[in-house]
Amino acid sequence: MTRGVTGGRAGRAGWALAVLAALGLPAGACGTTPGTGPGTSPGTGTATGTATALQSGPAATPTPSAGSLVAGRYQPLWPFAEEKQARDWQESYRSGGHQPWHLDAERTALSFTQGFLGFTGVDQVVERTVTGADARVSVGVRGEGGGRPGIAAVVHLVRFGTGPDAPWEVVGTDDTTFSLTTPRYGALVSSPVKVGGTITGVDESIRVQVRSTGSARPLGESCCASAGGEDALWSATVTFQAAPGSTLTLVASTGGHVAEVERFAVTGVRVAP
């Protein structure tokens, strides 16, 4: 997880009313069309507001060497597992225009959400902020009766590699009312792994999955942890199978009030030797 962005903290009743007002109610690998995002135009909407919350970036220096990281500090979560894959795509794009969606931060964020995570109902781009090689794309679900979409997560992307055609890579999410802070970003983990964070909400049911680029199915799953309150702690334990040294995406999601998935958060870790 990378930290920091959209929405403020609300109380139990305030959050529930805001959700009801705002919302109506497989894995894409490098070189394939990922999910539904690249094949369609991302939805657009009006931003529901932006506020700074937690500091963006890893909580501590990740353990892998800088050569396996994005911009020397971020975990490569999707769509490329390593920089060589990104360079291979650049070569194919330069020679034949292969998979141009990698240059679109919005499409990459939606494809990650729908194709990799499987959250097909989260199909709107609500807001986008791009600063140089860094992007934040707020994705969400359609508002009731055509109203403003509700933000499910702010996906953090960074250009992977060098040059004007360096592709976008998902490196985490910026979390506010729903966070995933344990284990820390970039930590070495083993199975089973304890996952947790905080949430503001009412009668939440939190599902946790362990995912990896190149795998169509979760490597592990835990459902469902009950939680509720304001800045309330939540936790779960997940068993998984993965190769030592591989990068994993831990994803926590909650919903069920007005949509199947209303909020989610991800963080990047690596499997201990």
PDB file of all heavy atoms in Angstrom, residues 86-100 103 160-167:
ATOM      1  N   ALA A  86       8.785  -4.630 -18.645  1.00  0.00           N
ATOM      2  CA  ALA A  86       8.411  -3.299 -19.111  1.00  0.00           C
ATOM      3  C   ALA A  86       9.252  -2.891 -20.317  1.00  0.00           C
ATOM      4  O   ALA A  86       8.734  -2.307 -21.287  1.00  0.00           O
ATOM      5  CB  ALA A  86       8.557  -2.280 -17.980  1.00  0.00           C
ATOM      6  N   ARG A  87      10.559  -3.181 -20.278  1.00  0.00           N
ATOM      7  CA  ARG A  87      11.426  -2.854 -21.415  1.00  0.00           C
ATOM      8  C   ARG A  87      11.042  -3.669 -22.648  1.00  0.00           C
ATOM      9  O   ARG A  87      11.054  -3.152 -23.775  1.00  0.00           O
ATOM     10  CB  ARG A  87      12.888  -3.098 -21.058  1.00  0.00           C
ATOM     11  CG  ARG A  87      13.451  -2.130 -20.028  1.00  0.00           C
ATOM     12  CD  ARG A  87      14.977  -2.160 -20.042  1.00  0.00           C
ATOM     13  NE  ARG A  87      15.509  -3.509 -19.829  1.00  0.00           N
ATOM     14  CZ  ARG A  87      15.806  -4.011 -18.638  1.00  0.00           C
ATOM     15  NH1 ARG A  87      15.634  -3.272 -17.550  1.00  0.00           N
ATOM     16  NH2 ARG A  87      16.304  -5.234 -18.518  1.00  0.00           N
ATOM     17  N   ASP A  88      10.700  -4.936 -22.453  1.00  0.00           N
ATOM     18  CA  ASP A  88      10.268  -5.767 -23.584  1.00  0.00           C
ATOM     19  C   ASP A  88       9.017  -5.184 -24.228  1.00  0.00           C
ATOM     20  O   ASP A  88       8.882  -5.180 -25.460  1.00  0.00           O
ATOM     21  CB  ASP A  88       9.993  -7.201 -23.116  1.00  0.00           C
ATOM     22  CG  ASP A  88      11.261  -7.952 -22.762  1.00  0.00           C
ATOM     23  OD1 ASP A  88      12.365  -7.479 -23.138  1.00  0.00           O
ATOM     24  OD2 ASP A  88      11.166  -9.008 -22.097  1.00  0.00           O
ATOM     25  N   TRP A  89       8.089  -4.704 -23.385  1.00  0.00           N
ATOM     26  CA  TRP A  89       6.890  -4.087 -23.945  1.00  0.00           C
ATOM     27  C   TRP A  89       7.255  -2.826 -24.723  1.00  0.00           C
ATOM     28  O   TRP A  89       6.720  -2.580 -25.817  1.00  0.00           O
ATOM     29  CB  TRP A  89       5.873  -3.726 -22.862  1.00  0.00           C
ATOM     30  CG  TRP A  89       4.775  -2.909 -23.473  1.00  0.00           C
ATOM     31  CD1 TRP A  89       3.708  -3.366 -24.177  1.00  0.00           C
ATOM     32  CD2 TRP A  89       4.708  -1.472 -23.506  1.00  0.00           C
ATOM     33  NE1 TRP A  89       2.968  -2.311 -24.660  1.00  0.00           N
ATOM     34  CE2 TRP A  89       3.561  -1.147 -24.258  1.00  0.00           C
ATOM     35  CE3 TRP A  89       5.491  -0.457 -22.973  1.00  0.00           C
ATOM     36  CZ2 TRP A  89       3.185   0.180 -24.485  1.00  0.00           C
ATOM     37  CZ3 TRP A  89       5.127   0.854 -23.197  1.00  0.00           C
ATOM     38  CH2 TRP A  89       3.983   1.164 -23.945  1.00  0.00           C
ATOM     39  N   GLN A  90       8.145  -1.990 -24.179  1.00  0.00           N
ATOM     40  CA  GLN A  90       8.561  -0.787 -24.887  1.00  0.00           C
ATOM     41  C   GLN A  90       9.085  -1.111 -26.289  1.00  0.00           C
ATOM     42  O   GLN A  90       8.747  -0.423 -27.259  1.00  0.00           O
ATOM     43  CB  GLN A  90       9.643  -0.042 -24.097  1.00  0.00           C
ATOM     44  CG  GLN A  90       9.110   0.803 -22.950  1.00  0.00           C
ATOM     45  CD  GLN A  90      10.223   1.543 -22.242  1.00  0.00           C
ATOM     46  OE1 GLN A  90      11.091   0.934 -21.611  1.00  0.00           O
ATOM     47  NE2 GLN A  90      10.212   2.850 -22.340  1.00  0.00           N
ATOM     48  N   GLU A  91       9.894  -2.146 -26.389  1.00  0.00           N
ATOM     49  CA  GLU A  91      10.439  -2.524 -27.688  1.00  0.00           C
ATOM     50  C   GLU A  91       9.333  -2.942 -28.651  1.00  0.00           C
ATOM     51  O   GLU A  91       9.336  -2.562 -29.828  1.00  0.00           O
ATOM     52  CB  GLU A  91      11.452  -3.658 -27.516  1.00  0.00           C
ATOM     53  CG  GLU A  91      12.724  -3.240 -26.780  1.00  0.00           C
ATOM     54  CD  GLU A  91      13.690  -4.400 -26.597  1.00  0.00           C
ATOM     55  OE1 GLU A  91      13.396  -5.497 -27.126  1.00  0.00           O
ATOM     56  OE2 GLU A  91      14.731  -4.209 -25.929  1.00  0.00           O
ATOM     57  N   SER A  92       8.372  -3.713 -28.152  1.00  0.00           N
ATOM     58  CA  SER A  92       7.279  -4.145 -29.017  1.00  0.00           C
ATOM     59  C   SER A  92       6.368  -2.983 -29.402  1.00  0.00           C
ATOM     60  O   SER A  92       5.820  -2.947 -30.503  1.00  0.00           O
ATOM     61  CB  SER A  92       6.465  -5.251 -28.335  1.00  0.00           C
ATOM     62  OG  SER A  92       5.794  -4.757 -27.192  1.00  0.00           O
ATOM     63  N   TYR A  93       6.219  -2.030 -28.487  1.00  0.00           N
ATOM     64  CA  TYR A  93       5.408  -0.852 -28.803  1.00  0.00           C
ATOM     65  C   TYR A  93       6.093   0.016 -29.853  1.00  0.00           C
ATOM     66  O   TYR A  93       5.456   0.502 -30.786  1.00  0.00           O
ATOM     67  CB  TYR A  93       5.168  -0.044 -27.523  1.00  0.00           C
ATOM     68  CG  TYR A  93       4.468   1.271 -27.768  1.00  0.00           C
ATOM     69  CD1 TYR A  93       3.110   1.307 -28.073  1.00  0.00           C
ATOM     70  CD2 TYR A  93       5.169   2.480 -27.701  1.00  0.00           C
ATOM     71  CE1 TYR A  93       2.457   2.509 -28.309  1.00  0.00           C
ATOM     72  CE2 TYR A  93       4.532   3.687 -27.927  1.00  0.00           C
ATOM     73  CZ  TYR A  93       3.182   3.691 -28.236  1.00  0.00           C
ATOM     74  OH  TYR A  93       2.546   4.889 -28.475  1.00  0.00           O
ATOM     75  N   ARG A  94       7.389   0.202 -29.710  1.00  0.00           N
ATOM     76  CA  ARG A  94       8.127   1.019 -30.661  1.00  0.00           C
ATOM     77  C   ARG A  94       8.155   0.401 -32.057  1.00  0.00           C
ATOM     78  O   ARG A  94       8.126   1.119 -33.059  1.00  0.00           O
ATOM     79  CB  ARG A  94       9.554   1.241 -30.162  1.00  0.00           C
ATOM     80  CG  ARG A  94       9.636   2.111 -28.919  1.00  0.00           C
ATOM     81  CD  ARG A  94      11.029   2.065 -28.276  1.00  0.00           C
ATOM     82  NE  ARG A  94      11.071   2.843 -27.043  1.00  0.00           N
ATOM     83  CZ  ARG A  94      12.119   2.854 -26.223  1.00  0.00           C
ATOM     84  NH1 ARG A  94      13.195   2.120 -26.500  1.00  0.00           N
ATOM     85  NH2 ARG A  94      12.078   3.586 -25.123  1.00  0.00           N
ATOM     86  N   SER A  95       8.205  -0.921 -32.118  1.00  0.00           N
ATOM     87  CA  SER A  95       8.303  -1.590 -33.416  1.00  0.00           C
ATOM     88  C   SER A  95       6.948  -1.817 -34.073  1.00  0.00           C
ATOM     89  O   SER A  95       6.853  -1.842 -35.304  1.00  0.00           O
ATOM     90  CB  SER A  95       9.028  -2.936 -33.270  1.00  0.00           C
ATOM     91  OG  SER A  95       8.285  -3.803 -32.417  1.00  0.00           O
ATOM     92  N   GLY A  96       5.893  -1.978 -33.251  1.00  0.00           N
ATOM     93  CA  GLY A  96       4.604  -2.285 -33.861  1.00  0.00           C
ATOM     94  C   GLY A  96       3.388  -1.712 -33.163  1.00  0.00           C
ATOM     95  O   GLY A  96       2.256  -2.098 -33.477  1.00  0.00           O
ATOM     96  N   GLY A  97       3.596  -0.793 -32.221  1.00  0.00           N
ATOM     97  CA  GLY A  97       2.447  -0.175 -31.543  1.00  0.00           C
ATOM     98  C   GLY A  97       1.689  -1.134 -30.643  1.00  0.00           C
ATOM     99  O   GLY A  97       0.488  -0.946 -30.400  1.00  0.00           O
ATOM    100  N   HIS A  98       2.380  -2.131 -30.100  1.00  0.00           N
ATOM    101  CA  HIS A  98       1.739  -3.177 -29.314  1.00  0.00           C
ATOM    102  C   HIS A  98       1.210  -2.660 -27.983  1.00  0.00           C
ATOM    103  O   HIS A  98       1.903  -1.978 -27.248  1.00  0.00           O
ATOM    104  CB  HIS A  98       2.764  -4.294 -29.065  1.00  0.00           C
ATOM    105  CG  HIS A  98       2.246  -5.449 -28.285  1.00  0.00           C
ATOM    106  ND1 HIS A  98       1.257  -6.286 -28.752  1.00  0.00           N
ATOM    107  CD2 HIS A  98       2.573  -5.933 -27.050  1.00  0.00           C
ATOM    108  CE1 HIS A  98       1.004  -7.224 -27.860  1.00  0.00           C
ATOM    109  NE2 HIS A  98       1.780  -7.031 -26.810  1.00  0.00           N
ATOM    110  N   GLN A  99      -0.054  -2.977 -27.663  1.00  0.00           N
ATOM    111  CA  GLN A  99      -0.673  -2.677 -26.374  1.00  0.00           C
ATOM    112  C   GLN A  99      -0.479  -1.229 -25.919  1.00  0.00           C
ATOM    113  O   GLN A  99       0.105  -0.955 -24.859  1.00  0.00           O
ATOM    114  CB  GLN A  99      -0.134  -3.633 -25.303  1.00  0.00           C
ATOM    115  CG  GLN A  99      -0.444  -5.102 -25.556  1.00  0.00           C
ATOM    116  CD  GLN A  99      -1.910  -5.432 -25.350  1.00  0.00           C
ATOM    117  OE1 GLN A  99      -2.498  -5.110 -24.327  1.00  0.00           O
ATOM    118  NE2 GLN A  99      -2.512  -6.086 -26.333  1.00  0.00           N
ATOM    119  N   PRO A 100      -0.990  -0.254 -26.668  1.00  0.00           N
ATOM    120  CA  PRO A 100      -0.786   1.150 -26.315  1.00  0.00           C
ATOM    121  C   PRO A 100      -1.462   1.574 -25.011  1.00  0.00           C
ATOM    122  O   PRO A 100      -1.137   2.627 -24.457  1.00  0.00           O
ATOM    123  CB  PRO A 100      -1.386   1.911 -27.510  1.00  0.00           C
ATOM    124  CG  PRO A 100      -2.377   0.953 -28.103  1.00  0.00           C
ATOM    125  CD  PRO A 100      -1.766  -0.412 -27.921  1.00  0.00           C
ATOM    126  N   LEU A 103       0.262   3.106 -21.841  1.00  0.00           N
ATOM    127  CA  LEU A 103       0.630   4.515 -21.714  1.00  0.00           C
ATOM    128  C   LEU A 103      -0.512   5.361 -21.155  1.00  0.00           C
ATOM    129  O   LEU A 103      -0.359   6.577 -21.003  1.00  0.00           O
ATOM    130  CB  LEU A 103       1.053   5.066 -23.083  1.00  0.00           C
ATOM    131  CG  LEU A 103       2.280   4.393 -23.712  1.00  0.00           C
ATOM    132  CD1 LEU A 103       2.564   4.985 -25.086  1.00  0.00           C
ATOM    133  CD2 LEU A 103       3.493   4.545 -22.805  1.00  0.00           C
ATOM    134  N   PHE A 160       7.247   2.907 -15.194  1.00  0.00           N
ATOM    135  CA  PHE A 160       8.209   1.834 -14.942  1.00  0.00           C
ATOM    136  C   PHE A 160       9.273   1.870 -16.033  1.00  0.00           C
ATOM    137  O   PHE A 160       9.025   1.489 -17.171  1.00  0.00           O
ATOM    138  CB  PHE A 160       7.495   0.490 -14.948  1.00  0.00           C
ATOM    139  CG  PHE A 160       8.200  -0.606 -14.188  1.00  0.00           C
ATOM    140  CD1 PHE A 160       7.606  -1.850 -14.035  1.00  0.00           C
ATOM    141  CD2 PHE A 160       9.441  -0.399 -13.589  1.00  0.00           C
ATOM    142  CE1 PHE A 160       8.229  -2.873 -13.329  1.00  0.00           C
ATOM    143  CE2 PHE A 160      10.070  -1.404 -12.874  1.00  0.00           C
ATOM    144  CZ  PHE A 160       9.472  -2.646 -12.753  1.00  0.00           C
ATOM    145  N   GLY A 161      10.471   2.342 -15.682  1.00  0.00           N
ATOM    146  CA  GLY A 161      11.546   2.443 -16.653  1.00  0.00           C
ATOM    147  C   GLY A 161      11.815   3.874 -17.047  1.00  0.00           C
ATOM    148  O   GLY A 161      11.473   4.821 -16.331  1.00  0.00           O
ATOM    149  N   THR A 162      12.431   4.051 -18.204  1.00  0.00           N
ATOM    150  CA  THR A 162      12.822   5.377 -18.668  1.00  0.00           C
ATOM    151  C   THR A 162      12.255   5.649 -20.055  1.00  0.00           C
ATOM    152  O   THR A 162      11.814   4.736 -20.754  1.00  0.00           O
ATOM    153  CB  THR A 162      14.353   5.496 -18.725  1.00  0.00           C
ATOM    154  OG1 THR A 162      14.873   4.498 -19.618  1.00  0.00           O
ATOM    155  CG2 THR A 162      14.963   5.298 -17.336  1.00  0.00           C
ATOM    156  N   GLY A 163      12.294   6.929 -20.429  1.00  0.00           N
ATOM    157  CA  GLY A 163      11.827   7.324 -21.745  1.00  0.00           C
ATOM    158  C   GLY A 163      10.386   7.789 -21.717  1.00  0.00           C
ATOM    159  O   GLY A 163       9.624   7.477 -20.791  1.00  0.00           O
ATOM    160  N   PRO A 164       9.978   8.554 -22.750  1.00  0.00           N
ATOM    161  CA  PRO A 164       8.610   9.077 -22.800  1.00  0.00           C
ATOM    162  C   PRO A 164       7.557   7.988 -22.963  1.00  0.00           C
ATOM    163  O   PRO A 164       6.373   8.238 -22.729  1.00  0.00           O
ATOM    164  CB  PRO A 164       8.637  10.009 -24.020  1.00  0.00           C
ATOM    165  CG  PRO A 164       9.749   9.485 -24.876  1.00  0.00           C
ATOM    166  CD  PRO A 164      10.781   8.969 -23.912  1.00  0.00           C
ATOM    167  N   ASP A 165       7.960   6.787 -23.375  1.00  0.00           N
ATOM    168  CA  ASP A 165       7.013   5.694 -23.543  1.00  0.00           C
ATOM    169  C   ASP A 165       7.157   4.644 -22.443  1.00  0.00           C
ATOM    170  O   ASP A 165       6.759   3.488 -22.614  1.00  0.00           O
ATOM    171  CB  ASP A 165       7.177   5.034 -24.912  1.00  0.00           C
ATOM    172  CG  ASP A 165       8.588   4.485 -25.150  1.00  0.00           C
ATOM    173  OD1 ASP A 165       9.471   4.722 -24.298  1.00  0.00           O
ATOM    174  OD2 ASP A 165       8.798   3.848 -26.193  1.00  0.00           O
ATOM    175  N   ALA A 166       7.691   5.035 -21.291  1.00  0.00           N
ATOM    176  CA  ALA A 166       7.733   4.113 -20.150  1.00  0.00           C
ATOM    177  C   ALA A 166       6.300   3.829 -19.707  1.00  0.00           C
ATOM    178  O   ALA A 166       5.498   4.753 -19.544  1.00  0.00           O
ATOM    179  CB  ALA A 166       8.527   4.720 -18.998  1.00  0.00           C
ATOM    180  N   PRO A 167       5.933   2.564 -19.520  1.00  0.00           N
ATOM    181  CA  PRO A 167       4.545   2.226 -19.193  1.00  0.00           C
ATOM    182  C   PRO A 167       4.198   2.527 -17.744  1.00  0.00           C
ATOM    183  O   PRO A 167       5.059   2.646 -16.884  1.00  0.00           O
ATOM    184  CB  PRO A 167       4.498   0.717 -19.454  1.00  0.00           C
ATOM    185  CG  PRO A 167       5.896   0.263 -19.159  1.00  0.00           C
ATOM    186  CD  PRO A 167       6.788   1.371 -19.645  1.00  0.00           C
TER     187      PRO A 167
END
